[in-house]
Amino acid sequence: MHSERFYTLSASCPDRVGIVARVSSFIAEHQGWILESRYHSDGDNGDSRYFMRLEIKAASLPFHLAEFRERFRPIAEELQMDWKISDSAVKKRVVIFVSKQEHCLYDLLARWQSKELDIEIPCIISNHDTFKGFVEWHGIPFHHVPVVADNKEAAYAEIHRLYEESKGETMVLARYMQIIPPAMCEAFPGQILNIHHSFLPSFVGAKPYHQAYQRGVKLIGATCHYVTSELDQGPIIEQDVIRIDHSDSVDDMVRYGKDIEKAVLARGLRYHLEDRVLVHGNKTVVFR
Amino acid sequence: MHSERFYTLSASCPDRVGIVARVSSFIAEHQGWILESRYHSDGDNGDSRYFMRLEIKAASLPFHLAEFRERFRPIAEELQMDWKISDSAVKKRVVIFVSKQEHCLYDLLARWQSKELDIEIPCIISNHDTFKGFVEWHGIPFHHVPVVADNKEAAYAEIHRLYEESKGETMVLARYMQIIPPAMCEAFPGQILNIHHSFLPSFVGAKPYHQAYQRGVKLIGATCHYVTSELDQGPIIEQDVIRIDHSDSVDDMVRYGKDIEKAVLARGLRYHLEDRVLVHGNKTVVFR
Amino acid sequence: MHSERFYTLSASCPDRVGIVARVSSFIAEHQGWILESRYHSDGDNGDSRYFMRLEIKAASLPFHLAEFRERFRPIAEELQMDWKISDSAVKKRVVIFVSKQEHCLYDLLARWQSKELDIEIPCIISNHDTFKGFVEWHGIPFHHVPVVADNKEAAYAEIHRLYEESKGETMVLARYMQIIPPAMCEAFPGQILNIHHSFLPSFVGAKPYHQAYQRGVKLIGATCHYVTSELDQGPIIEQDVIRIDHSDSVDDMVRYGKDIEKAVLARGLRYHLEDRVLVHGNKTVVFR
Amino acid sequence: MHSERFYTLSASCPDRVGIVARVSSFIAEHQGWILESRYHSDGDNGDSRYFMRLEIKAASLPFHLAEFRERFRPIAEELQMDWKISDSAVKKRVVIFVSKQEHCLYDLLARWQSKELDIEIPCIISNHDTFKGFVEWHGIPFHHVPVVADNKEAAYAEIHRLYEESKGETMVLARYMQIIPPAMCEAFPGQILNIHHSFLPSFVGAKPYHQAYQRGVKLIGATCHYVTSELDQGPIIEQDVIRIDHSDSVDDMVRYGKDIEKAVLARGLRYHLEDRVLVHGNKTVVFR
């Protein structure tokens, strides 16, 4: 991370000769100073896709983002790129979803307080009112949207409205214990991050720690992934594990797991917000 | 961890034949149900010391702690034991010390909120007033005790007074950026836990992340240890590390380090509070 | 590990009051010096099972194993114990099975050469002759027993014969790429260790690295487990993982995986040989 | 790693605008297909150095290495580069040094046998004859060069001669228990890799496991570094750690440590041989 302002260009396109040359020459022509750059070719050579991420010092360029976009567009079109560019001086808008567990919420707010996580949190949404006071003490609006068997459609319509009203760019499910309906997953692809409390693909579905206890595994884990309409099947961003042993009860595993969950969610979210994650089918390229 | 009430007996004594038999027979005579027990012999056989920790179901014994203590005393004397016994139903009293960094404080309070850390926090003491509002929102008294060059003696007298007044049993230096004076270290041996932001014994003293950056190490760490009058030399309770690489600046290392610091402090504190840590010279036996 | 000779008593029995007292008093009566002891109660209190492992200094007892067994038997019967006792001076007899991959074989033989793994290897069995010269150079008999579609019964009859003839006590499948038939699994329960090249229960069956690549996981692992008649479902002894990323091909994962496989197999085997592993249903208690 | 033949260009130069453009345009002009590329800017912007590593598909270029070198030279001179280019089809020549410990030697030879480590080992040199038979069984020449107090100069002259005669490009000290004299370190800068049995900079010098035991650390480690004339102070390439606890003796630590040592050495050596390690002062850039 750099203290000075920079632009982050992230892109993917069909692989061919000369991609790096084309992009880096464009930047060099305008005296752009590349602070960091990463490239990756994914797949077989016959049918591979090229991924890249560059950080360019903002002050080194003679123009701002709007003009960058306009000038770069012909190159992107020629290379058939999916691309975006963002400005480190513009904070991303992240809406956090919680239920009754505190660990991820406290962790994210601590990082936000210290500006380690330099984002806007326009609001926090919960199906319970447990953390209303805590969230509001931080000066962040809190919306209690109960989700029960017979109001799901209305509840998610309300959540959809709140997210758009607050100009959210990312939803973080910080141990939000409800299943996001497929329509919402499809409305916001690549915008919804979840933390799943197992080392996927082991123990999908409910009560993964109970499943892990039954199987007698020696490590438990957590997985940060994009939410898609297939439950627990979205592209994996980050994972980690912690050692347990025979003396650990399910409750102990839940406790250890919380430490892994919050760490993995924070790392995955950071990668996402810094445009380090590029999705390729059901997998991710993560330029850490 | 058990959900039912239990007593924790922790002890050390010179090693000899029959220690386990003596202690476990005493418990069995009174129908005491041992939930968990750990033993360790440390040192050479000629001059070794025996360490133990037992959890006994409270309801299985026909008497309470006071009578346990009285009845067990002759055995402990015979075996020349250093020993103590605690009751899981009695919360320990922990005073937290902070300065301006939020990560350990948020982490500890999240664990306290959810009763994962089932303690009393009679007060939080800081040399800054940064977290006054946050702490008081949690309903915990906050004491701002500035420590500057010419008031150190008075400041620590005040801290000493606050700690005793609040019946503190443990001090946790949660990134408290002041050196505890030797007199206070000696007044409360085995009661003061610190989190040091390096993998001791590497990089003692100030600015360990800068030292680590200069040396080009590939992992950085944190150490939870008891505070003694020798700076950064006390018995180590817990340590962990995280991988870094050439692309990480000192600021990145500080950021990664915070995650390790809070995790290591929380684990070390838990071991301490559950009487899992027995000090032997400048080392620890930790019955995890 | 101790340099002096010791006996290892490992046992499990229904949980009740006084087990530790009964066992440790028996040892103390005979002046037995307990070097190390571990206890664990597994399951709910109403229906829990007690596990233990003790190391007793051989020279401290006034009798040898045969008499220990005779004198201890009444206590074991009273407590309804499954138990065994072994002598550190008697090397265990381990038969290694390999196919064409070298990493686990080299690793085990290096440990055997240096006496880190202080065992007898009466023979090594393989379905290929790849390592014949290498094994024989070490002075260990090598048996090439091809296993093909139409000779499986005869092949395993031969393997069974070789194992019994060599007085084997443990079979180690060191990346042996054949499925052990159910009859053999049942003939030698708790004697056959396998290293599976995934973090079970993820990616059971064939080509786990290909499965992991397809799913886009961020860590891959290996699992050492007892072989039972249900493929990849036996009790897990040890597991570990290693980090990978988007730039790693299946071949890279195979290469990283080999490092984890050999490390996990060596640890699992050591726990098994030191009587640290007690099976409880489909899970293990591992007194590391 | 790619199965097809490729060239690896690694370079560093003073940082400025347009480096990537200059290099990638040169490659694109000749239809060179970049398989993988990594860039890093190290240091402050005012005085930073640029590092890069590219893999180019050999078959995509219309010329071979000699002509590449000639054509690229003017660009390298203009950019004031330190650079080299290697051919994946040409095996590097690695001389291994051992003493009496087997673990790193077995590990390296297993990797060499399976071509995971696709190198030439022209000879293995030792100050003992312990592994003469084992090495020669593998078809590798073994040189026993005793090093004792009064023959050091002659011994290292002989080693120097053997290394040059065998056209060695890298020396690997695989737990070679002798100190390389400064003159040899200076004759082969960046060519001598050592594995140190501690997590440097902790516990420099002799008997690091004894030092670690005395200090009561909870993790022990190993460090692969380039050897310079300052003992244990050379640029660090790779490090790792493993958890220990109070029950581990120095012997246990030695045993655990061996697993870390061989893994860290193998990783560090691989990075070195694949031209992934670029030295910057006393630190390394490692493009993993």
Side-chain angles (χ1 to χ4, degrees), chain A residues 129-279:
Chain A
D129 62 2
T130 314
F131 296 113
K132 183 174 163 58
F134 179 67
V135 166
E136 290 179 351
W137 183 86
H138 283 85
I140 299 169
F142 180 91
H143 302 296
H144 177 201
V145 183
V147 179
V148 289
D150 59 356
N151 86 331
K152 289 205 173 170
E153 208 166 325
Y156 283 101
E158 171 68 0
I159 286 169
H160 195 126
R161 196 188 61 74
L162 287 167
Y163 183 64
E164 297 213 315
E165 187 184 84
S166 60
K167 298 189 173 52
E169 294 166 298
T170 293
M171 296 187 201
V172 176
L173 309 184
R175 300 293 275 119
Y176 179 69
M177 304 305 279
Q178 292 290 329
I179 294 171
I180 303 298
M184 184 169 277
C185 299
E186 282 150 26
F188 305 108
Q191 282 186 46
I192 316 178
L193 277 79
N194 184 44
I195 179 71
H196 188 270
H197 45 315
S198 91
F199 182 64
L200 290 175
S202 293
F203 313 132
V204 297
K207 293 191 172 270
Y209 292 124
H210 287 79
Q211 294 181 57
Y213 181 81
Q214 289 304 325
R215 183 60 188 95
V217 292
K218 300 301 184 189
L219 301 166
I220 55 169
T223 302
C224 177
H225 64 98
Y226 286 116
V227 175
T228 61
S229 52
E230 282 187 87
L231 185 66
D232 298 341
Q233 300 295 322
I236 292 170
I237 302 168
E238 173 67 351
Q239 302 188 290
D240 215 339
V241 295
I242 195 168
R243 190 164 286 276
I244 55 165
D245 72 17
H246 59 266
S247 69
D248 293 308
S249 64
V250 172
D251 285 350
D252 291 325
M253 288 165 62
V254 168
R255 177 166 54 77
Y256 286 127
K258 286 162 73 172
D259 284 2
I260 293 295
E261 291 162 27
K262 68 188 184 195
V264 167
L265 177 59
R267 288 206 297 266
L269 177 59
R270 166 174 284 271
Y271 299 152
H272 169 81
L273 293 172
E274 294 180 356
D275 298 327
R276 296 181 182 278
V277 189
L278 290 89
V279 173

Side-chain angles (χ1 to χ4, degrees), chain C:
Chain C
M1 275 294 288
H2 310 283
S3 45
E4 63 201 318
R5 186 175 178 180
F6 59 91
Y7 302 138
T8 303
L9 173 66
S10 59
S12 71
C13 62
D15 203 354
R16 40 158 282 192
V17 165
I19 300 170
V20 179
R22 197 80 185 83
V23 173
S24 60
S25 296
F26 167 82
I27 295 166
E29 277 159 28
H30 299 289
Q31 300 301 311
W33 185 285
I34 299 175
L35 291 161
E36 194 177 308
S37 63
R38 294 290 299 269
Y39 305 92
H40 173 65
S41 171
D42 205 72
D44 300 322
N45 289 323
D47 179 31
S48 62
R49 194 161 177 85
Y50 207 72
F51 296 83
M52 72 183 70
R53 178 184 183 280
L54 295 93
E55 292 181 5
I56 307 152
K57 203 191 294 194
S60 70
L61 287 169
F63 41 68
H64 285 302
L65 271 200
E67 191 169 339
F68 187 103
R69 286 197 181 97
E70 199 173 319
R71 286 172 181 261
F72 188 67
R73 186 167 303 119
I75 296 169
E77 279 169 7
E78 180 195 327
L79 296 170
Q80 298 171 266
M81 268 186 180
D82 286 334
W83 67 290
K84 63 178 173 181
I85 186 162
S86 65
D87 181 346
S88 69
V90 179
K91 293 184 185 191
K92 298 222 170 118
R93 300 177 70 78
V94 178
V95 174
I96 299 174
F97 289 69
V98 285
S99 290
K100 288 178 163 177
Q101 282 190 289
E102 76 301 330
H103 56 296
C104 291
L105 178 65
Y106 265 76
D107 188 73
L108 293 174
L109 289 187
R111 295 173 197 270
W112 169 81
Q113 275 282 56
S114 67
K115 301 204 188 313
E116 177 198 312
L117 206 56
D118 202 17
I119 56 175
E120 293 290 338
I121 304 178
C123 65
I124 290 179
I125 296 172
S126 180
N127 55 331
H128 297 281
D129 62 2
T130 314
F131 296 113
K132 183 174 164 60
F134 180 67
V135 165
E136 290 179 350
W137 182 86
H138 284 84
I140 299 169
F142 180 91
H143 302 296
H144 177 200
V145 184
V147 179
V148 287
D150 60 356
N151 86 332
K152 290 205 172 170
E153 209 166 325
Y156 284 101
E158 172 67 359
I159 286 170
H160 195 126
R161 195 189 62 74
L162 288 167
Y163 184 65
E164 297 213 314
E165 187 184 85
S166 61
K167 299 189 172 52
E169 294 165 299
T170 293
M171 296 186 202
V172 176
L173 309 185
R175 300 294 275 119
Y176 179 68
M177 305 305 279
Q178 292 291 329
I179 294 171
I180 303 298
M184 185 169 276
C185 298
E186 281 150 26
F188 305 107
Q191 284 186 45
I192 315 178
L193 277 79
N194 185 43
I195 179 70
H196 188 271
H197 45 315
S198 91
F199 181 65
L200 290 175
S202 292
F203 313 132
V204 296
K207 292 191 173 272
Y209 292 125
H210 287 80
Q211 294 182 57
Y213 181 81
Q214 290 304 325
R215 184 61 188 92
V217 292
K218 300 300 184 189
L219 301 166
I220 54 169
T223 303
C224 177
H225 64 96
Y226 286 117
V227 175
T228 61
S229 52
E230 281 186 88
L231 185 66
D232 299 341
Q233 300 295 322
I236 293 170
I237 302 168
E238 173 66 350
Q239 301 186 291
D240 215 338
V241 295
I242 194 167
R243 189 165 287 275
I244 56 164
D245 73 18
H246 59 265
S247 69
D248 293 308
S249 65
V250 171
D251 284 351
D252 290 326
M253 289 164 63
V254 168
R255 177 166 55 77
Y256 287 126
K258 285 162 72 172
D259 284 2
I260 293 296
E261 291 162 27
K262 70 189 183 194
V264 167
L265 177 59
R267 289 206 296 267
L269 178 59
R270 166 173 284 271
Y271 299 152
H272 169 81
L273 294 172
E274 293 180 357
D275 298 328
R276 297 183 182 276
V277 188
L278 290 89
V279 174
H280 187 204
N282 203 42
K283 296 168 65 174
T284 60
V285 170
V286 182
F287 290 125
R288 280 179 298 178

Side-chain angles (χ1 to χ4, degrees), chain A residues 106-107 138 259 262 270, chain B residues 106-107 111 138 255 262:
Chain A
Y106 265 76
D107 187 72
H138 283 85
D259 284 2
K262 68 188 184 195
R270 166 174 284 271
Chain B
Y106 265 76
D107 188 73
R111 295 173 197 272
H138 284 84
R255 178 167 55 78
K262 69 189 183 194

Side-chain angles (χ1 to χ4, degrees), chain A residues 1 3 36 102-103 106-107 109-111 113-114 116 131-135 137-138 242 247 249 251-252 255-256 258-259 262-263 266-267 270-271 274 288, chain B residues 1 3 36 102-103 106-107 109-111 113-114 116 131-135 137-138 242 247 249 251-252 255-256 258-259 262-263 266-267 270-271 274 288:
Chain A
M1 275 295 285
S3 45
E36 194 177 309
E102 75 302 329
H103 55 296
Y106 265 76
D107 187 72
L109 289 187
R111 294 173 199 271
Q113 275 282 55
S114 67
E116 178 198 310
F131 296 113
K132 183 174 163 58
F134 179 67
V135 166
W137 183 86
H138 283 85
I242 195 168
S247 69
S249 64
D251 285 350
D252 291 325
R255 177 166 54 77
Y256 286 127
K258 286 162 73 172
D259 284 2
K262 68 188 184 195
R267 288 206 297 266
R270 166 174 284 271
Y271 299 152
E274 294 180 356
R288 280 179 299 179
Chain B
M1 274 293 286
S3 44
E36 195 179 308
E102 76 301 328
H103 56 296
Y106 265 76
D107 188 73
L109 289 187
R111 295 173 197 272
Q113 276 281 57
S114 67
E116 178 198 311
F131 296 112
K132 182 174 165 58
F134 179 69
V135 165
W137 182 87
H138 284 84
I242 194 167
S247 68
S249 64
D251 284 351
D252 292 324
R255 178 167 55 78
Y256 287 126
K258 285 162 72 171
D259 284 2
K262 69 189 183 194
R267 288 206 297 267
R270 167 173 283 270
Y271 299 151
E274 294 180 356
R288 280 180 298 177

